[in-house]
Amino acid sequence: AVGEIGWDDDCDTDLRAAVVAACGTELVDEDSDDVVDVVMLWWRSEDGDLVDALMDAIAPLADHGTIWLMTPKAGRNGHVEAADIAEAAPVAGLQQTSTISAAADWQGTRLVSPRAKR
């Protein structure tokens, strides 16, 4: 199950559709009480405190789950600096493992609980 937090009109609909196709079920809404294996967190620089958002994203996450932090690429409105992610992740109890180009305007940063906590 994949949960989604922070969806808005600027999110990439093709990426969302690909995630739905890959998992075979609709995305779980952020207001749901369901436990999910992955959280896709759409985040922009003006959205507030990243640490708080990451803590909220951990709540519905199953043990050994993954958060994909989706942020606008450099040069796009709402771009989040890599240093901001690197600073926020450990404060929220997470470890950054990789960053990918997820869509034309969005990059994805994979965040997990450190191995010692697993």
Side-chain angles (χ1 to χ4, degrees):
V2 177
E4 181 179 44
I5 299 173
W7 181 88
D8 205 343
D9 293 340
D10 63 343
C11 295
D12 191 279
T13 55
D14 291 337
L15 176 59
R16 291 179 82 236
V19 170
V20 168
C23 66
T25 60
E26 290 298 316
L27 299 176
V28 176
D29 186 74
E30 64 186 285
D31 296 326
S32 172
D33 291 331
D34 292 348
V35 174
V36 296
D37 303 299
V38 176
V39 170
M40 186 165 56
L41 172 60
W42 299 94
W43 190 258
R44 302 137 199 97
S45 60
E46 65 273 5
D47 284 348
D49 186 272
L50 181 54
V51 173
D52 288 344
L54 292 173
M55 296 297 287
D56 289 345
I58 291 169
L61 202 58
D63 291 342
H64 309 295
T66 301
I67 295 173
W68 277 98
L69 176 63
M70 309 305 296
T71 57
K73 290 181 177 178
R76 275 49 167 218
N77 286 339
H79 172 68
V80 178
E81 294 294 329
D84 294 339
I85 297 169
E87 182 179 308
V91 174
L94 298 166
Q95 171 180 327
Q96 181 177 336
T97 63
S98 58
T99 300
I100 63 167
S101 175
D105 293 325
W106 293 86
Q107 66 183 15
T109 302
R110 185 174 181 264
L111 304 169
V112 297
S113 293
R115 289 199 184 274
K117 292 185 178 181
R118 291 186 186 182

